[in-house]
Amino acid sequence: EPEVTQTPSHQVTQMGQEVILRCVPISNHLYFYWYRQILGQKVEFLVSFYNNEISEKSEIFDDQFSVERPDGSNFTLKIRSTKLEDSAMYFCATERALGYEQYFGPGTRLTVT
Amino acid sequence: KQEVTQIPAALSVPEGENLVLNCSFTDSAIYNLQWFRQDPGKGLTSLLLIQSSQREQTSGRLNASLDKSSGRSTLYIAASQPGDSATYLCAVRRGNNDMRFGAGTRLTVKP
C-alpha cells in the first residue's frame, strides 16, 4: 500500500540554524500539507500546497517558514532560523484530490537546542 | 474560529466492550470530518472520513456518525481489543484546506 515517507525521523539543531524537512508524497496525490504537534498539544495546520503554490497558511506559518516541491517528487518544509519553540513533531500529509482523505507520514521530530 | 473538543480525554475499558468516543465542534459550516488513530510517537492513521453531506461511515468494527447541526461526531468501536489502544483524534475541515484537530481521547483496552 502506498504511503507517505518523511526524512529524517529525528533532527537535532541549534537555535538560529536552518533546517529542511523532507516528505515524499503518495505518487498520484495532488495536495500536500504540513502540520506540527508540539509535545502534549494538538496537531496544528501549518500550510497547504497545490499546483506548486501555497493555497492556504496558518498564522504559525510566518516568514521563517517556506515550502517547495523542488523536483516533482519531494515536498520540503524549510525553517530559516530555528527557535526553541519550533521544537515539535512535523507531519507531512497528502491527498489525492480536494476533500478526500488525508494520509499522514510518520513525522520528523525536530529538537532545537 | 473553529474549536474542536474531544471527551473524554482518557478512557480505559476491558477487552470486548463496545465504546463511544465523542467529538464536538463549534462551527457547523464544515467541509468534512476525519477520525485518526495515533500510536505513541507515531504518525496519524486515517480511520474514517465523513463528508458534510453524510450522516455516518463504517469500516469493520468502527462506525462514525456526524450531526452537523448540533456540531457533534461520535466514533463507535465494537468489541474492543487490546490492539485498539491508542489516541483517537478527530479533525474538522473548514473550507478547502485548514483542518482543526481535537486534543484526542487516549484509549486503553485491558486484556
Side-chain angles (χ1 to χ4, degrees):
Chain A
E1 184 176 319
E3 56 184 21
V4 179
T5 59
Q6 290 185 241
T7 54
S9 56
H10 190 192
Q11 172 99 44
V12 181
T13 190
Q14 289 190 327
M15 197 166 50
Q17 296 297 304
E18 175 183 287
V19 294
I20 297 176
L21 310 184
R22 291 182 169 81
C23 168
V24 178
I26 295 173
S27 62
N28 61 345
H29 285 197
L30 301 176
Y31 291 79
F32 314 115
Y33 304 84
W34 283 102
Y35 295 84
R36 79 172 185 190
Q37 186 177 32
I38 295 170
L39 188 64
Q41 297 188 22
K42 292 183 180 183
V43 175
E44 299 173 289
F45 168 78
L46 292 178
V47 66
S48 58
F49 190 85
Y50 168 71
N51 201 24
N52 283 319
E53 59 183 32
I54 290 173
S55 45
E56 190 167 344
K57 59 184 180 179
S58 73
E59 59 274 10
I60 302 168
F61 193 89
D62 62 21
D63 292 344
Q64 292 301 309
F65 292 89
S66 62
V67 290
E68 64 175 357
R69 201 158 183 233
D71 56 11
S73 59
N74 289 289
F75 176 50
T76 62
L77 174 69
K78 182 194 291 186
I79 309 175
R80 288 190 184 82
S81 179
T82 51
K83 309 185 191 79
L84 293 176
E85 54 265 37
D86 293 329
S87 294
M89 191 77 134
Y90 288 81
F91 294 108
C92 170
T94 76
E95 184 179 24
R96 179 157 60 101
L98 198 60
Y100 281 61
E101 277 181 278
Q102 289 192 17
Y103 291 89
F104 279 65
T108 292
R109 180 167 299 285
L110 177 64
T111 302
V112 182
T113 62
Chain B
K1 182 182 171 183
Q2 179 73 276
E3 294 291 339
V4 182
T5 305
Q6 291 188 247
I7 294 173
L11 181 64
S12 180
V13 300
E15 183 177 2
E17 194 160 297
N18 302 326
L19 58 102
V20 174
L21 308 180
N22 296 290
C23 173
S24 61
F25 45 95
T26 53
D27 185 349
S28 61
I30 67 169
Y31 196 75
N32 60 37
L33 184 147
Q34 196 166 351
W35 282 93
F36 294 89
R37 167 190 174 133
Q38 185 175 29
D39 292 283
K42 305 284 178 137
L44 281 63
T45 301
S46 177
L47 298 173
L48 288 164
L49 172 72
I50 310 178
Q51 300 293 350
S52 62
S53 58
Q54 296 176 318
R55 297 282 296 185
E56 66 179 292
Q57 282 285 344
T58 298
S59 175
R61 293 183 295 108
L62 305 179
N63 175 277
S65 69
L66 174 64
D67 183 344
K68 255 195 346 174
S69 60
S70 66
R72 293 178 190 278
S73 176
T74 61
L75 180 67
Y76 174 83
I77 303 177
S80 57
Q81 303 169 358
D84 294 331
S85 297
T87 296
Y88 290 80
L89 303 175
C90 77
V92 174
R93 193 158 183 182
R94 63 178 184 92
N96 287 341
N97 290 289
D98 186 1
M99 197 150 72
R100 298 289 172 112
F101 282 79
T105 294
R106 189 171 69 254
L107 174 66
T108 303
V109 181
K110 297 178 180 176

